[in-house]
Amino acid sequence: MRRIINILIFLMFTVGMCAQKKDITKAKDYIISGKDFDKAEDLMTKLLKDSTNKDNKKIWLTLLDAQKAQYEAGNEKLYLKQKYDTAALFNVAKRMFDTAEGLDSVEMKPNKRGRVEIEYRKKNALYLNIYRRNLYNGGTYFISKQKYNDAYSFFDTYIECGIQPLFADFKYNENDTLMSTAAYWAVYCGYKMKDKKATLHHTYLALKDKQHYHLMLQYLAETYKLEKDSDRYLQILEEGFRKYPKFPFFFPRLIEYYSQHKQWDKAMGACDLALKADSTDHIFLLMKSSVLLNTEKYTECINICNDLLKADSTMNEAYLNAGLGYFNQAVELSKNTQNSLKYRNRILTFYRKALPYLEKYRALEPNSQTRWGVPLYTIYLNLNMGKEFDEIDHLLKK
């Protein structure tokens, strides 16, 4: 019985070998004919899907030849200004690199005698080095088409050439000035895909790209926030603000973080540093007014808001902060019932001063009812504004 099984296995192996040789011969005929290069590639790709063929160098070589033929035919059409699929040309370029690296990994395996014989590395490396820049160009091409997953794979392959034994002689990590920029674009693609792993994979190298360093910090901050890594999120925000105080991303988020954690001293310190960088910046001033409001420094808050509104009457948040600056003072005086009668006139004065600011804010931000609803309700009630009170009472009850 065992003998029969062995015979069957031998026959199956022989049939498989014959089919394999037939496909390789057919693929080579396609390549020699100068057409149907894609059919040759398909035949070899199918063979490599069978794990028993993975170490067959003839298949890898034929596959690479088919891809080279496709690439060179496409290049020729572009040179002659004939119509050709640009994306297809970039894709076959990338497949050449994948195939050559696959072949090289096969060659690095010891043979039956335990020896490693590298035969094709130098030839393939010299050939592909000429076209490696098209991996970078392919990445930028697919970014322009918003195909970030495809773009990432191109930049990733471009960068990985730096550690592939196939390209060791070129020392890309030392000599290629585009490596850090390629890494930045890889991070960018990961960020656009909201793929945390892809975003962080080439971070170390991407941070060497000084031209995009501020954007790198932004992508890292948002990625750490998605990961709920608050320590790293804060660390990146602080570094970004320290190095780029005028860049619009870092400062407002840093103030938001400090505010959420009631770290008002740090928030005020950040505002003061921002205003040292630009004392006239409206966003910096508005943020400082918010910190002053939360630290009960109402007069300073209102003064800043009034100055802002003189310069720009469309700053909605300045109306809110000034209005709440007056409103909060009235509420504070009202808390002590014994003194509330004594300070009744002052309380009503604060409500009257708060009213125009908060009504203006409501007109500008009608959908922000959670911010202006209760303050206006309280003001209308205390100022005996019956019509206005009834309207907002009905609105809040809804």
Side-chain angles (χ1 to χ4, degrees), residues 327 331 351 373-383 389 392:
F327 176 80
V331 172
Y351 281 140
V374 171
L376 283 176
Y377 174 94
T378 306
I379 292 171
Y380 293 149
L381 175 65
N382 279 275
L383 297 182
F389 175 81
I392 203 164

Side-chain angles (χ1 to χ4, degrees), residues 234-280:
L234 175 61
Q235 180 184 347
I236 294 296
L237 287 182
E238 289 178 334
E239 180 185 353
F241 172 63
R242 187 171 63 252
K243 292 181 176 177
Y244 307 99
K246 295 184 181 182
F247 187 63
F249 177 83
F250 303 109
F251 176 69
R253 287 164 181 79
L254 188 59
I255 297 299
E256 179 185 34
Y257 181 92
Y258 288 147
S259 300
Q260 288 174 347
H261 292 80
K262 309 298 181 185
Q263 296 176 347
W264 299 115
D265 288 344
K266 289 186 176 181
M268 185 58 71
C271 288
D272 291 338
L273 283 174
L275 288 167
K276 278 186 179 180
D278 186 349
S279 61
T280 63

Side-chain angles (χ1 to χ4, degrees), residues 346-358:
R346 287 185 64 191
I347 291 169
L348 294 178
T349 298
F350 283 135
Y351 281 140
R352 290 189 188 99
K353 288 184 176 181
L355 181 59
Y357 290 102
L358 292 172

Side-chain angles (χ1 to χ4, degrees), residues 8-9 11 15 17 46 58 72-73 97 128 166 171 201 210 234 282 284 293 296 305 318 320 368 379:
L8 288 173
I9 292 172
L11 288 173
V15 170
M17 288 296 292
K46 287 176 183 176
K58 288 183 180 179
E72 288 167 6
F97 279 80
L128 291 174
L166 175 62
K171 298 181 179 178
H201 184 55
K210 299 307 178 185
L234 175 61
H282 288 180
F284 295 165
L293 178 67
E296 301 180 7
C305 290
L320 177 65
S368 297
I379 292 171

Side-chain angles (χ1 to χ4, degrees), residues 154-262:
F154 274 80
F155 290 118
D156 186 56
T157 301
Y158 182 90
I159 296 162
E160 291 299 313
C161 288
I163 60 172
Q164 284 289 339
L166 175 62
F167 300 106
D169 288 346
F170 293 100
K171 298 181 179 178
Y172 291 134
N173 287 332
E174 299 172 27
N175 302 324
D176 184 354
T177 58
L178 276 178
M179 287 292 267
S180 61
T181 307
Y184 162 75
W185 287 118
V187 170
Y188 172 79
C189 292
Y191 167 77
K192 295 296 285 187
M193 294 187 291
K194 292 183 170 57
D195 184 331
K196 292 178 283 189
K197 184 177 179 181
T199 303
L200 298 174
H201 184 55
H202 294 295
T203 294
Y204 177 78
L205 180 58
L207 285 170
K208 294 181 180 180
D209 178 18
K210 299 307 178 185
Q211 182 182 354
H212 298 105
Y213 193 84
H214 58 303
L215 294 171
M216 271 298 304
L217 293 179
Q218 176 181 334
Y219 304 152
L220 288 177
E222 294 197 39
T223 302
Y224 290 139
K225 188 175 183 180
L226 285 174
E227 289 193 320
K228 297 182 179 179
D229 188 338
S230 58
D231 290 340
R232 286 186 176 179
Y233 175 67
L234 175 61
Q235 180 184 347
I236 294 296
L237 287 182
E238 289 178 334
E239 180 185 353
F241 172 63
R242 187 171 63 252
K243 292 181 176 177
Y244 307 99
K246 295 184 181 182
F247 187 63
F249 177 83
F250 303 109
F251 176 69
R253 287 164 181 79
L254 188 59
I255 297 299
E256 179 185 34
Y257 181 92
Y258 288 147
S259 300
Q260 288 174 347
H261 292 80
K262 309 298 181 185

Side-chain angles (χ1 to χ4, degrees), residues 32-62:
I32 293 170
S33 71
K35 56 183 180 180
D36 294 329
F37 303 131
D38 56 332
K39 292 181 181 179
E41 181 179 11
D42 287 343
L43 283 171
M44 297 301 96
T45 301
K46 287 176 183 176
L47 286 179
L48 286 174
K49 287 180 180 178
D50 185 341
S51 59
T52 60
N53 296 328
K54 286 292 185 182
D55 291 338
N56 189 319
K57 288 198 282 188
K58 288 183 180 179
I59 298 175
W60 286 100
L61 285 166
T62 306

Side-chain angles (χ1 to χ4, degrees), residues 276-394:
K276 278 186 179 180
D278 186 349
S279 61
T280 63
D281 187 284
H282 288 180
I283 297 300
F284 295 165
L285 289 165
L286 182 64
M287 288 293 181
K288 183 169 184 177
S289 78
S290 295
V291 176
L292 290 167
L293 178 67
N294 281 284
T295 53
E296 301 180 7
K297 297 177 180 178
Y298 300 123
T299 301
E300 291 178 65
C301 167
I302 293 165
N303 289 339
I304 288 178
C305 290
N306 284 333
D307 288 340
L308 284 171
L309 292 170
K310 285 178 185 177
D312 183 359
S313 61
T314 64
M315 292 198 71
N316 302 359
E317 297 298 312
Y319 287 108
L320 177 65
N321 286 356
L324 291 177
Y326 285 120
F327 176 80
N328 288 356
Q329 291 181 79
V331 172
E332 287 296 320
L333 286 175
S334 301
K335 284 181 179 179
N336 190 322
T337 55
Q338 291 182 343
N339 291 329
S340 61
L341 290 175
K342 178 181 176 181
Y343 294 116
R344 184 63 181 166
N345 287 334
R346 287 185 64 191
I347 291 169
L348 294 178
T349 298
F350 283 135
Y351 281 140
R352 290 189 188 99
K353 288 184 176 181
L355 181 59
Y357 290 102
L358 292 172
E359 287 187 325
K360 181 66 174 180
Y361 180 73
R362 177 186 178 181
L364 293 169
E365 300 283 350
N367 295 324
S368 297
Q369 182 178 317
T370 55
R371 306 183 80 182
W372 49 256
V374 171
L376 283 176
Y377 174 94
T378 306
I379 292 171
Y380 293 149
L381 175 65
N382 279 275
L383 297 182
N384 294 317
M385 299 174 68
K387 179 181 176 182
E388 290 82 357
F389 175 81
D390 289 341
E391 183 268 334
I392 203 164
D393 181 55
H394 177 71

